[in-house]
């Protein structure tokens, strides 16, 4: 839905014009997976797929929520009753943002919200972060809170961690709030310093495909939390604040110190090498050299996620293996894993052949047909009317 359709839907629901309409995008992570909650480096960019919200303030302590994408009525919640992990529906994401704002002392007294999103749910493309950020930006504007984009991202992360109960890092919310069109965002998740890196693949005759495997994943599930706990255990055993503090040059010595903690060793190896891969991609893109050299780095990242972090699945592996066998420059899963999407870097002339090969491979494996589309770096969250 576009902004005008969401505005009209708000009027039908609530009987008045909204005070404004906002949009926030999903994201693809080019490189840097499971590094954000280890204080490491990530490199996402925003997608054209967006969550759109029409919003008005209320003064009676009531939050009304509605999604045009679901066959359900308006959910009405009292702000004073918002309690962490009490809501297991989609409404937990926008309600969690309101809870986080109020917990931080911001004077939010209620809202009417009507939403629609084109970000595929469960595809590892941050549909939940888009919902959180669009609501946070709207309330920041309407209540004149004066919060900066990185502050909104922090509050949205707190909403997802504490209110929803999903132990995610800061990348998704920051990407949705802060990305710029035509750029990837090099983000240091420790101090939230940012650098916009130009990414114009089309100018070099390249394309980046997203292949949504249609295998849904859930960050609040136990496996994601286990990986995070294992990383924290590794940092504690190595005597550092976070795995980001293990230099790549010292990795072998660090692994040796972990002794027979084989699972922790695998997690540590992935995080330290993945941080190094992010820095490698940044250097390649900033050097103005051949962007095609990024391809093997992406593929190495997938091998690490598959073999060390063990968050891939047969469908994701099939995308990567098939794409590489048909001429892709590089491919890897993107997002938290256990389903979701993979990305494929390819020559523009090979896109049609690659997409067909992946679709045929899925059919032969009796998997659900994947959804394939091109990813082009788009704008971050903004007010649209």
């Amino acid at each position: 839905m576009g902004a005008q359709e969401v505005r009209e839907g708000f009027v039908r629901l609530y009987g008045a014009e909204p005070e404004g309409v906002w949009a926030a995008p999903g994201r693809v992570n080019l490189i840097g997976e499971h590094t954000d909650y280890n204080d490491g480096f990530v490199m996402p960019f925003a997608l054209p797929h967006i969550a759109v919200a029409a919003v008005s303030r209320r003064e009676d302590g009531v939050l009304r929520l509605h999604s045009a994408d679901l066959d359900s009525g308006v959910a009405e919640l009292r702000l004073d009753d918002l309690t962490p992990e009490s809501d297991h529906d989609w409404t937990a994401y926008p309600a969690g943002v309101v809870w986080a704002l109020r917990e931080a002392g911001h004077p939010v007294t209620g809202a009417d919200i009507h939403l629609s999103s084109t970000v595929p749910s469960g595809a590892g493309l941050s549909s939940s972060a888009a919902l959180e950020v669009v609501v946070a930006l709207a309330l920041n504007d309407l209540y004149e809170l004066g919060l900066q984009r990185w502050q909104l991202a922090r509050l949205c992360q707190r909403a997802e961690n504490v209110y929803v109960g999903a132990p995610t890092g800061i990348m998704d919310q920051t990407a949705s709030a802060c990305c710029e069109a035509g750029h990837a965002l090099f983000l240091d998740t420790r101090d939230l310093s940012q650098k916009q890196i130009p990414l114009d693949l089309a100018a070099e005759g390249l394309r980046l495909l997203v292949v949504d495997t249609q295998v849904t994943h859930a960050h609040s599930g136990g496996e994601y939390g286990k990986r995070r706990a294992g990383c924290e255990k590794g940092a504690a055993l190595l005597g550092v604040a976070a795995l980001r503090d293990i230099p790549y040059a010292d990795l072998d010595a660090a692994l040796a110190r972990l002794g027979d903690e084989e699972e922790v060793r695998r997690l540590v190896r992935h995080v330290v090498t993945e941080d190094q891969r992010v820095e490698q991609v940044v250097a390649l893109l900033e050097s103005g050299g051949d962007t095609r050299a990024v391809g093997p780095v992406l593929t190495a990242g997938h091998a690490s996620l598959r073999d060390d972090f063990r968050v891939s699945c047969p469908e994701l592996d099939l995308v990567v293996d098939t794409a590489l066998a048909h001429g892709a420059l590089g491919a890897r899963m993107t997002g938290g894993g256990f389903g979701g999407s993979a990305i494929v870097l390819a020559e523009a002339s090979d896109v049609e052949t690659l997409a067909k090969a992946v679709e045929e491979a899925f059919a032969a494996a009796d998997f659900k047909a994947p959804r394939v589309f091109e990813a082009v770096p788009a704008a971050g969250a903004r007010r649209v009317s």
Side-chain angles (χ1 to χ4, degrees):
M1 276 194 177
Q4 185 58 35
E5 292 171 289
V6 174
R7 176 181 287 275
E8 291 169 357
F10 183 100
V11 173
R12 288 194 298 272
L13 280 169
Y14 301 123
E17 287 283 337
E19 293 184 82
V21 182
W22 289 260
R27 65 96 189 96
V28 158
N29 192 22
L30 184 63
I31 193 74
E33 222 64 80
H34 290 277
T35 49
D36 58 347
Y37 54 80
N38 289 290
D39 283 3
F41 305 123
V42 295
M43 199 175 183
F45 63 83
L47 288 168
H49 305 72
I50 54 174
V52 181
V55 186
S56 287
R57 289 167 290 181
R58 297 178 66 98
E59 298 179 355
D60 58 358
V62 170
L63 174 65
R64 293 198 292 182
L65 299 167
H66 183 265
S67 171
D69 309 319
L70 300 172
D71 186 18
S72 58
V74 175
E76 184 168 313
L77 308 170
R78 292 208 59 82
L79 302 191
D80 290 342
D81 295 337
L82 298 181
T83 306
E85 298 192 57
S86 61
D87 185 351
H88 302 287
D89 205 350
W90 73 271
T91 51
Y93 296 99
V97 169
V98 175
W99 171 86
L101 286 166
R102 284 165 55 84
E103 281 286 298
H106 300 294
V108 176
T109 55
D112 285 338
I113 301 175
H114 176 55
L115 291 146
S116 182
S117 178
T118 59
V119 186
S121 178
L125 303 175
S126 298
S127 58
S128 59
L131 282 182
E132 292 159 357
V133 170
V134 74
V135 170
L137 183 62
L139 297 177
N140 185 53
D141 287 354
L142 291 176
Y143 282 98
E144 299 181 342
L145 303 179
L147 295 169
Q148 298 182 51
R149 294 300 182 96
W150 68 267
Q151 292 173 305
L152 293 177
R154 276 287 193 213
L155 284 164
C156 289
Q157 182 199 16
R158 177 166 168 75
E160 189 148 350
N161 289 173
V162 180
Y163 194 88
V164 177
T168 55
I170 189 65
M171 174 181 66
D172 296 351
Q173 293 84 1
T174 305
S176 186
C178 301
C179 279
E180 295 181 4
H183 294 75
L185 178 68
F186 176 37
L187 173 67
D188 181 333
T189 65
R190 170 165 283 170
D191 62 13
L192 296 190
S193 59
Q194 304 175 17
K195 189 172 187 180
Q196 301 287 344
I197 308 293
L199 185 64
D200 186 355
L201 298 174
E204 299 186 56
L206 300 174
R207 297 291 187 273
L208 189 75
L209 297 180
V210 174
V211 181
D212 176 3
T213 65
Q214 305 280 351
V215 179
T216 58
H217 72 160
H219 274 169
S220 52
E223 290 301 315
Y224 186 97
K226 287 179 184 177
R227 302 305 189 281
R228 182 164 185 164
C231 290
E232 291 168 354
K233 180 180 179 180
L237 289 171
L238 293 168
V240 293
L243 293 183
R244 181 266 186 66
D245 296 313
I246 304 297
Y248 179 70
D250 296 344
L251 176 58
D252 288 344
L255 295 177
R257 287 167 54 199
L258 291 171
D260 60 359
E261 293 277 358
E262 180 54 35
E263 183 177 357
V264 175
R265 283 164 54 89
R266 287 190 287 99
L267 298 178
V268 170
R269 182 164 53 230
H270 167 72
V271 172
V272 175
T273 58
E274 187 78 347
D275 273 336
Q276 194 267 345
R277 282 186 285 271
V278 177
E279 293 185 292
Q280 192 177 352
V281 170
V282 171
L284 285 168
L285 293 177
E286 287 194 316
S287 71
D290 191 350
T291 303
R292 289 163 177 81
V294 169
V297 186
L298 303 183
T299 304
H302 183 76
S304 182
L305 287 159
R306 180 192 64 211
D307 301 336
D308 277 343
F309 226 71
R310 301 188 181 180
V311 292
S312 190
C313 67
E315 291 85 352
L316 288 168
D317 293 340
L318 184 60
V319 174
V320 172
D321 294 344
T322 303
L324 294 173
H326 287 80
L329 299 168
R332 75 172 191 90
M333 57 156 283
T334 186
F338 311 108
S341 299
I343 55 174
V344 178
L345 181 66
E347 303 286 352
S349 57
D350 292 338
V351 163
E352 189 173 332
T353 299
L354 283 168
K356 184 179 179 182
V358 170
E359 290 164 355
E360 289 177 347
F362 268 55
D366 203 25
F367 292 154
K368 186 176 180 179
R371 178 171 178 247
V372 184
F373 60 92
E374 183 182 349
V376 178
R382 64 271 187 196
R383 185 168 185 163
V384 292
S385 71

